[in-house]
Amino acid sequence: MAEIVNIGVGRAAGILNEMVDGSVDLKVPSIEVLLSRKALREGKLFGGQMLSCVKMPFNGSLTGCAYLIFRSDSALNLVAALTGERVDSPDLDSMKVETLNEVGNIIINAVMGSIGNILDKYIDYSVPAYEESTFSGILSSNVDDDAWVVLAHTDFSIEKRKIKGNILLVFELASFDSVLSAIDSMS
Amino acid sequence: MSGTASGHTNFTLFDSLPIGALVINKEFKIVYWNRTLEVWTGMDKNRIVGKSLLDSFPNLNQKKYADRIKQIFTGAPSAVFSSLLHRYLIPVEGKDGSFRSQNSTVTPMVSPSGEVFAMFFIQDVTELSARIRDFKNMRDKAIQEIKERQKVEEKLRLMAAVIENTAEGVIITDTQGNIQIVNKSFTKITGYSEREALGNTPRLLRSGRHNEHFYNNMWRQINETGFWVGEFWNKRKNGSIYPQKTSISPVMDANGKLSHYAGIFLDITDRKIVEDELRKLSTTDGLTDVSNRRNFDFTLDMEWKRTRRDKTPLSLLMIDIDRFKLYNDTYGHLAGDKCIQSVANSLKGFANRPGDLVARYGGEEFTVLLPGVDRLNAETIAQSIRSHIEFLEIPHPTSGVSKFVSISAGVATVSIDHGATPSELVELADKALYQAKRAGRNRIYVYENK
């Protein structure tokens, strides 16, 4: 599973490398099974700081949500790097939503593309949404808080630009089973 | 290619859309090209359908396009391409030769037969971007203007503070002379508050010591040369009159038209006092308070000229204290000084008409200048002085001339008929004095002209 996510993340890194003048460094993802979404939310992952997040829920043969999360200062640095604007430009904030939406689109698509390719099943994606909130605010949803979740987590950074981001894939446990069985059938 | 055909028929719906729309299959072959794209690119759909998208638009071979589009066929969600990060997907030249800005979305679509297609929807956002850019420029310009205005205001505030707190009084009037602005020092010097001054004219401060001619001249110079500096007397609110040094200049507006007059003034009362003090010091003998030698020379010169002009006589007495060296030897220098002061005070009493002048000419030598006095009267005055000094009865036992301090005096008088220079008058008086001394002192000698 980590390998599949890694393939997608690697592809996204290649695309971003071309768009940003600087090498995008991505860590090998970690996979964790958590007792509940609530447990994840209450975890100490980001403390209470404000985050910029592109969020894309999906359902169908897979149910869950993909998150691309940046600390706010990293988000602005990334927008500056992609648009060529100065970091202190007053226009940066208005460009942020559009730019981060596309970055989220690139990374999430790459990862979901990898998974979809293996599953060969239909996944229905919702429209990506941009959000600024704390980590627990971002994770709040209508989904049953007590359902078990699987967390795929990786860090990526662009050292030269002082940018750090996190990609979180949250699968509900029932749907994750189908991923695993698909992977099993491949081997 | 069966899917292509079936797809093609379904896509004609997009012909009427005001956005660019195209569909490719898994092999990147174009299967649909809508009407809008025909208009934008000038490429007929019959010519482009069936060709490779990447061959037709090589810019899409870049990873950031090709890789992301490929993912559409492997189950990834729609890909978005913002005009912020990519100017365009399909190059469309605008009227000005630059490429139009596009926001594009590439969406997967599965045909009933299960074949996956990628649909491109391309929105031309050039005008929108331009409007946003114009708005930003407008905003930047507005911010710049605000900053500049703040700078100007800051400067004005600074200048106002300087004017308000300077030691000089400031009056600014309109062209009619109505006072518009005064500062703190104005109030301090004149005693009039701002409220009392505003709406009034500077005539409020006139002392009455200068005639209309003076003010007319001043205004003529201001308007002709753009500047006037001078001293005049003004009157404070409490009625006291004081000297002020004033500079007045016209102020022009941006079009070079006269808009205000600005006056800056300084109360120079203190300076005047010092000046008077200095003048007195420079003309007076410190010991006796009568004129010094320098002032005598100056005054003699003036009176000489007036005498010639007015054809009046001018008399000069040259007076010497008899045996003064012996007096000093007997009583000491302090007593000698007192003696000289007593003689000087006496002389002042005999020269009290305007124009008369007593001067200490040397150590114990005095001159008395008597304008308008003829020889006969000069002789009488000299005689009175001599007896007056003797009646002072200042003891002088070693004198040998008298028991008391006495003087000898030479008298010279000039009328228009003779005496060519002031120094000749002094010379004549001196000769007369010599004669008086030679004749035994404590007497006067009148120079008799031929």
Side-chain angles (χ1 to χ4, degrees), chain A residues 154-186:
Chain A
T154 185
D155 300 336
F156 86 93
S157 58
I158 307 173
E159 200 118 331
K160 217 165 90 185
R161 304 275 191 167
K162 293 193 176 105
I163 296 164
K164 271 191 170 142
N166 302 78
I167 303 162
L168 259 63
L169 291 169
V170 178
F171 302 98
E172 305 214 351
L173 202 57
S175 69
F176 193 65
D177 284 341
S178 60
V179 179
L180 292 182
S181 59
I183 293 170
D184 285 344
S185 68
M186 281 170 69

Side-chain angles (χ1 to χ4, degrees), chain A residues 78-91:
Chain A
L78 181 60
V79 175
L82 283 166
T83 57
E85 285 283 329
R86 287 159 47 125
V87 178
D88 58 357
S89 162
D91 296 331

Side-chain angles (χ1 to χ4, degrees), chain B residues 163 166 168-173 181-183 186 202 219 222 227-228 232 244-251 260-266:
Chain B
I163 288 173
T166 185
E168 282 95 353
V170 174
I171 310 180
I172 296 171
T173 72
I181 293 171
V182 295
N183 70 347
F186 170 90
W219 283 109
I222 291 167
F227 204 62
W228 185 87
F232 56 70
Q244 70 174 40
K245 180 172 182 176
T246 306
S247 64
I248 302 173
S249 46
V251 180
H260 294 88
Y261 289 103
I264 298 172
F265 62 95
L266 206 53

Side-chain angles (χ1 to χ4, degrees), chain B residues 231-414:
Chain B
E231 292 176 10
F232 56 70
W233 295 89
N234 264 353
K235 193 164 74 181
R236 302 186 219 272
K237 192 184 174 187
N238 66 14
S240 65
I241 289 172
Y242 67 98
Q244 70 174 40
K245 180 172 182 176
T246 306
S247 64
I248 302 173
S249 46
V251 180
M252 306 300 174
D253 65 15
N255 303 317
K257 201 168 154 271
L258 178 71
S259 69
H260 294 88
Y261 289 103
I264 298 172
F265 62 95
L266 206 53
D267 180 343
I268 53 169
T269 307
D270 293 346
R271 209 190 74 195
K272 281 277 186 213
I273 290 170
V274 170
E275 276 176 10
D276 288 349
E277 200 69 37
L278 282 173
R279 193 176 303 122
K280 202 181 158 203
L281 279 174
S282 69
T283 58
T284 309
D285 174 61
L287 178 66
T288 60
D289 216 29
V290 298
S291 281
N292 59 16
R293 169 88 178 256
R294 197 168 58 143
N295 193 43
F296 168 77
D297 289 341
F298 176 75
T299 309
L300 173 61
D301 218 41
M302 301 259 296
E303 293 299 340
W304 182 266
K305 282 173 189 154
R306 204 168 60 171
T307 300
R308 301 209 16 164
R309 193 173 61 238
D310 298 350
K311 300 181 171 42
T312 53
L314 175 64
S315 293
L316 176 66
L317 315 184
M318 184 76 81
I319 296 169
D320 192 49
I321 301 175
D322 295 330
R323 302 285 189 210
F324 184 69
K325 193 176 173 301
L326 291 174
Y327 184 90
N328 253 353
D329 291 347
T330 309
Y331 293 105
H333 283 283
L334 275 177
D337 283 352
K338 277 208 173 112
C339 174
I340 287 173
Q341 282 170 337
S342 299
V343 172
N345 277 333
S346 298
L347 294 180
K348 275 191 237 169
F350 289 94
N352 45 20
R353 299 170 317 143
D356 290 354
L357 184 83
V358 178
R360 189 174 172 206
Y361 197 72
E364 71 274 18
E365 215 169 36
F366 293 91
T367 51
V368 179
L369 190 64
L370 301 164
V373 173
D374 60 17
R375 196 179 59 219
L376 209 60
N377 279 319
E379 185 180 347
T380 309
I381 291 169
Q383 214 42 276
S384 304
I385 290 171
R386 192 208 56 78
S387 52
H388 180 86
I389 298 293
E390 199 171 21
F391 288 143
L392 288 178
E393 296 190 346
I394 304 168
H396 189 356
T398 53
S399 164
V401 178
S402 162
K403 285 191 280 178
F404 306 112
V405 167
S406 63
I407 56 132
S408 299
V411 180
T413 301
V414 290

